Amino acid sequence: MTIEAPRDERALRVVGKSLPRVEAAAKVTGSIAYADDIVLPGMLFCKLLRSRHPYARVLSIDTRAARAVPGVVAVLTGHDLPVNYGIMPTCEDEHALEHEKVRFVGDPVAAVAAVDEETAQAGCRAISVEYEPLEAVESIEQALVPPDDEPLHDYAGPANVHRLAALEFGDVDAGFARAAHVREDIFFFEGNTHLPMEQHSATAQVAGDKVTLWSSTQDPHYVHRALAKVLGLPMGKLRVVAAPHGGGFGGKCDPFSHEIVVCKVAMMTGRPVKCTLTREEVFYTHRGRHPVLMWVRTGVDADGRILAMHFRSALDGGAYGSYGPASTLYTGALQTTTYAIPAYRFEGARVFTNKAPCGPKRGHGTPQPRFALEVHLDKLAADVGLDPVELRRRNFVKPFSRTVNWLRITSCGLEEVTNRVLEASGYARRERRRGHGMGFAVSSYMCGAGLPIYWNKMPHSECVVNVGRGGVTLYCGATDIGQGSDSVLATVAAEELGLWPGDIRLVTGDTGLTPVDLGSYSSRVTFMAGNAAREAAAKMRALLVGVVADEEGCAPQEVEVRDGKVGRMTFEEAATLAEEHLGVLSAHGTYTPPEGIGGRYKGAGVGPSPAYSYSAATVDLDADPGSGEIRVNKVWLAHDIGRSINEMAARGQVEGGVYMGLGEALMEAQAYRDGLHRQPSMLDYKSLTFLEMPEVETILVETHDPEGPYGAKEVGQGPLLPVIPAVVSAVHDALGVWIDEVPVTPDKIVRALDARAKGKEARYGPKRFPDIPYPDLVKVVPPDAATAAL
């Protein structure tokens, strides 16, 4: 990572280098080269100059010395890319290169393209930037106070507040008035980052009047849109190819400055340009899990059934908007998809601070409130003398129901995942001794967002199946980021056509060759792209069957399609016959979520999904009362997958979710000191290694969702969610103290034990929730009352 001179003890270290370069020009169009492996003839290498101030005005940028460095071909500043952008239409507040203000350490201010990376870095070091430092905002509390200097963004306010939400469904005050017991708690979830093995990398090339970008992006469609806006080009003059990924987890969902810069340099020079971020730059690029402070209040009747809930959240959003409006609402949207809450109030706020921007990470916006809600219910169960499992059971949502905030539930395996995980783990028969504990939690997650990021009525996913003399090819814009979506699409198409997945050739993640898919986020690909692929393949099957039925003199329903045959013909013979009769064989399929899966109020766009998955976890661990050290022995996780299309891949996704959840629960933290990331390297940022990773027993529960492809639902993100609260619950079971702040580190455990020894509350966590100027409540009539009114 390159920063401007002068350097001091706070300057960032250069960490990591590009992966070995591979001559891959011939591989690029085949999408089999990682973005950092791409090397093209005459290629330039680009480096970004980044701010060393958390907050400052940019007074001047002198690039003359950089342009004089031998081997430097181009130098860009923000004046070359003045158009703002952002993933959300409501907060397009970023520039590829900032030229007026920098808002976090690592904000890019200039770019240098040269014959090699070392020369590009030398060019960056030669640039002189004059700043006027401003008072940095470093916490949620500070962001709520009107600043002495100007707010981070002109549209922020009050103070440095980015987004406020206030919703009420049903009569919450009446519910609390009827409650036999009311409890309230405060929790804090520290932010953390994605930690993909592969760094971000992008390569751009101009051919004729068309710009092609190869990038390690999860969302080529949205990058395509951002490039068109910033570069001022028609979308038809741009092509974005999503290269194979070495991990994404949400960290490659935004359009990024390096993607825009390489395209601009390629346009200016006529040469291919590549930019690969260092590991440290990846930490500062971030877009990871928001730090969230939460307050939750719940009232129950004498039987432990929830009568009312009030949930407040305050998100530290970092320097820019990113997915912030959605992130805010997600901290309050899905509590009701797990528990039947008859009256619910949610108030959320997101603030700007001078830290790396936060955004979506696996489970986007929902692991934080899930941690708070599940631990809160454990405490509530203890208050009313109920087993925590039993209290949950009494409040589970039912299949094919409607939540108080208008979310439609279809298949729901909550009861079954709970039964299976409790039986497998022996939770009710667990060993009772000091220092040993087991914890239990449940969760739910979406099978894709019900609405696109920008409002339109077009399909969310589109597929085309072509059959010809070269075999079967499936075209889809979906991007495989390691979650196995290519395998799912091939399997779905093969099932319809009576072939094996290996018989299907895939062309994916390429805006120049494939129809639109909105991207790999929100666990949407299996459900949405899978349905589109099935429809396209079913149409192709119908074409082949119709021709074969005519040839064999039978009804179409009598033609069997399986094992590479269509009726009595081989698939190849049937395809040849169909081409003789019909010409080009092509069929398309699309998927758009059904209408009516959510409400019609302000904020209703976040939360609706065509289906929800369900998970339950138990965690067995030992906790040392002397040191606070935790050793996780085993995790059992049962997941309602609807139907497993690729069982081995699904189990891998569950284990990956458990791994990530344990890391967040025990050690991961994107923490700052004076605007600097405290751990911007894989040496210092703590995550689980194979030495800490316990045994995981995965239990797949099939509920056959009526709208999923062959009944399938998501598995990429949901299994992470119950792991974190189950760890916290297990620590309490082992030592009798509550850790209401994640990650659960040894020092926090020791402090909670010390507090108990002194006769204080046996917990560690936040003590107050700040006063936030939430707006007036938007009061929404819940479904039952609305139906009665009709």
Side-chain angles (χ1 to χ4, degrees):
M1 182 173 181
T2 307
I3 66 166
E4 65 276 17
R7 291 175 175 251
D8 58 25
E9 67 278 7
R10 293 182 59 206
L12 305 178
R13 301 178 301 281
V14 177
V15 180
K17 297 180 180 179
S18 297
L19 297 173
R21 297 173 188 159
V22 178
E23 294 297 332
K27 299 180 183 179
V28 172
T29 55
S31 295
I32 59 173
Y34 285 91
D36 190 42
D37 291 337
I38 298 170
V39 176
L40 300 174
M43 176 176 283
L44 298 177
F45 296 86
C46 183
K47 284 295 180 182
L48 301 178
L49 178 68
R50 298 178 181 272
S51 169
R52 60 187 173 89
H53 293 282
Y55 193 30
R57 291 189 185 91
V58 179
L59 302 181
S60 66
I61 304 177
D62 187 346
T63 64
R64 289 173 294 179
R67 296 177 191 276
V69 173
V72 168
V73 178
V75 180
L76 276 69
T77 68
H79 295 287
D80 298 297
L81 291 163
V83 179
N84 57 306
Y85 70 95
I87 187 67
M88 300 287 289
T90 57
C91 48
E92 295 181 330
D93 54 10
E94 298 185 60
H95 293 88
L97 300 170
E98 295 295 339
H99 61 284
E100 294 178 344
K101 281 199 299 189
V102 290
R103 296 175 175 86
F104 69 101
V105 173
D107 221 352
V109 295
V112 176
V115 294
D116 55 45
E117 288 186 333
E118 293 74 16
T119 303
Q121 287 178 331
C124 285
R125 288 193 292 269
I127 296 174
S128 176
V129 183
E130 183 182 359
Y131 292 105
E132 178 189 344
L134 301 171
E135 182 182 1
V137 179
E138 299 184 7
S139 66
I140 294 171
E141 291 77 8
Q142 188 180 354
L144 295 170
V145 178
D148 294 331
D149 292 316
E150 58 200 66
L152 269 70
H153 294 280
D154 293 340
Y155 72 96
N160 277 296
V161 173
H162 173 209
R163 175 66 187 244
L164 293 168
L167 298 165
E168 179 168 301
F169 308 90
D171 193 336
V172 173
D173 290 337
F176 280 125
R178 297 197 311 273
H181 181 76
V182 176
R183 182 183 177 92
E184 63 183 60
D185 289 294
I186 303 175
F187 301 92
F188 180 67
F189 194 114
E190 183 58 271
N192 50 66
T193 199
H194 312 85
L195 211 67
M197 292 299 292
E198 178 205 27
Q199 297 135 248
H200 297 60
S201 186
T203 298
Q205 183 180 36
V206 175
D209 62 349
K210 191 162 187 174
V211 181
T212 298
L213 173 74
W214 294 272
S215 182
S216 54
T217 177
Q218 296 179 226
D219 300 329
H221 173 66
Y222 289 120
V223 173
H224 194 193
R225 289 175 57 86
L227 289 176
K229 180 179 190 293
V230 177
L231 299 176
L233 293 175
M235 292 183 73
K237 300 296 184 183
L238 291 159
R239 176 188 175 201
V240 179
V241 182
H245 275 58
F249 314 115
K252 298 172 182 174
C253 282
D254 286 71
F256 289 104
S257 58
H258 66 282
E259 295 170 322
I260 297 169
V261 165
V262 294
C263 291
K264 182 66 174 180
V265 176
M267 293 167 64
M268 293 170 60
T269 65
R271 295 170 66 173
V273 185
K274 176 180 177 180
C275 182
T276 298
L277 304 189
T278 66
R279 176 59 60 184
E280 187 173 7
E281 286 181 296
V282 174
F283 274 98
Y284 278 95
T285 301
H286 192 42
R287 314 303 163 116
R289 188 87 72 214
H290 285 72
V292 182
L293 185 64
M294 294 160 285
W295 174 88
V296 56
R297 184 172 188 248
T298 303
V300 296
D301 65 16
D303 294 323
R305 290 184 172 82
I306 296 172
L307 298 177
M309 181 179 291
H310 186 180
F311 198 100
R312 285 176 171 160
S313 65
L315 294 76
D316 182 341
Y320 293 103
S322 185
Y323 284 80
S327 306
T328 305
L329 292 168
Y330 273 129
T331 62
L334 299 189
Q335 285 84 331
T336 60
T337 58
T338 312
Y339 301 109
I341 304 170
Y344 179 58
R345 180 185 298 153
F346 168 67
E347 294 172 302
R350 184 181 191 261
V351 300
F352 290 120
T353 60
N354 293 114
K355 304 174 186 176
C358 297
K361 184 186 175 186
R362 201 173 195 169
H364 186 195
T366 64
Q368 302 97 318
R370 180 57 51 184
F371 149 67
L373 178 59
E374 292 296 303
V375 176
H376 172 68
L377 292 180
D378 278 346
K379 297 181 179 185
L380 189 58
D383 288 352
V384 300
L386 275 177
D387 178 82
V389 176
E390 180 57 29
L391 182 136
R392 288 172 169 83
R393 287 188 194 277
R394 294 183 184 187
N395 291 285
F396 280 167
V397 296
K398 302 300 181 185
F400 303 100
S401 61
R402 180 78 66 166
T403 70
V404 71
N405 56 337
W406 287 89
L407 303 180
R408 186 198 67 166
I409 307 294
T410 55
S411 60
C412 172
L414 255 181
E415 287 283 359
E416 190 169 355
V417 295
T418 296
N419 293 340
R420 294 284 299 277
V421 83
L422 293 176
E423 179 183 357
S425 65
Y427 177 82
R429 306 180 302 278
R430 63 189 182 278
E431 179 185 3
R432 300 284 188 173
R433 60 176 170 81
R434 180 169 169 76
H436 175 263
M438 292 186 73
F440 167 81
V442 300
S443 66
S444 59
Y445 197 65
M446 310 182 296
C447 297
L451 293 171
I453 290 173
Y454 61 97
W455 289 72
N456 65 83
K457 296 183 179 181
M458 292 183 287
H460 289 212
S461 190
E462 302 169 342
C463 290
V464 173
V465 171
N466 288 345
V467 173
R469 297 165 209 189
V472 181
T473 304
L474 171 66
Y475 297 85
C476 182
T479 305
D480 195 316
I481 59 172
Q483 85 280 36
S485 63
D486 281 358
S487 168
V488 168
L489 296 178
T491 301
V492 167
E495 180 70 16
E496 285 294 322
L497 296 172
L499 301 171
W500 291 99
D503 297 327
I504 310 297
R505 178 176 179 265
L506 293 171
V507 179
T508 58
D510 185 332
T511 65
L513 298 177
T514 63
V516 167
D517 178 85
L518 296 185
S520 292
Y521 64 91
S522 296
S523 279
R524 57 177 301 284
V525 176
T526 293
F527 204 99
M528 297 189 178
N531 268 320
R534 185 180 185 184
E535 181 180 286
K539 290 179 179 178
M540 179 58 68
R541 173 189 175 120
L543 292 176
L544 299 176
V545 165
V547 171
V548 170
D550 289 343
E551 180 72 14
E552 296 182 353
C554 64
Q557 58 266 30
E558 297 178 55
V559 177
E560 189 175 30
V561 180
R562 59 177 298 172
D563 297 331
K565 299 190 74 174
V566 183
R568 294 191 296 271
M569 297 184 182
T570 66
F571 186 90
E572 291 78 6
E573 290 169 342
T576 299
L577 181 66
E579 190 173 350
E580 290 173 0
H581 286 269
L582 303 173
V584 175
L585 298 178
S586 183
H588 73 272
T590 65
Y591 180 79
T592 303
E595 294 185 1
I597 60 176
R600 295 182 177 273
Y601 53 87
K602 183 179 180 180
V606 171
S609 178
Y612 299 90
S613 69
Y614 292 89
S615 303
T618 52
V619 172
D620 181 288
L621 59 76
D622 290 305
D624 188 325
S627 67
E629 293 287 340
I630 295 173
R631 185 185 58 157
V632 179
N633 302 313
K634 187 171 180 178
V635 177
W636 294 260
L637 197 139
H639 182 71
D640 166 18
I641 196 173
R643 187 178 184 188
S644 177
I645 291 178
N646 183 327
E647 182 176 340
M648 183 170 65
R651 291 181 180 276
Q653 285 293 294
V654 171
E655 292 178 11
V658 171
Y659 167 83
M660 190 167 281
L662 289 175
E664 295 189 30
L666 298 173
M667 59 187 70
E668 293 192 41
Q670 177 103 345
Y672 294 81
R673 182 186 292 117
D674 297 328
L676 283 177
H677 195 305
R678 295 173 62 181
Q679 305 159 313
S681 78
M682 293 182 75
L683 292 174
D684 299 317
Y685 182 89
K686 303 304 179 186
S687 64
L688 263 68
T689 70
F690 70 90
L691 294 175
E692 293 89 22
M693 183 64 186
E695 179 186 355
V696 178
E697 183 173 329
T698 298
I699 304 163
L700 298 178
V701 173
E702 297 195 340
T703 54
H704 295 269
D705 189 83
E707 297 179 20
Y710 301 110
K713 298 196 288 189
E714 75 86 33
V715 68
Q717 302 189 58
L720 178 151
L721 302 178
V723 175
I724 300 168
V727 168
V728 176
S729 179
V731 170
H732 178 264
D733 192 45
L735 299 177
V737 294
W738 288 110
I739 309 301
D740 293 342
E741 180 176 313
V742 167
V744 182
T745 52
D747 62 304
K748 295 173 185 176
I749 292 175
V750 170
R751 291 182 187 181
L753 290 168
D754 287 346
R756 186 179 64 181
K758 294 175 183 177
K760 300 178 181 179
E761 186 178 13
R763 75 180 285 268
Y764 179 92
K767 300 188 184 310
R768 63 176 298 274
F769 191 88
D771 293 329
I772 295 177
Y774 293 115
D776 292 339
L777 289 166
V778 175
K779 296 194 175 184
V780 181
V781 177
D784 289 345
T787 303
L790 293 174

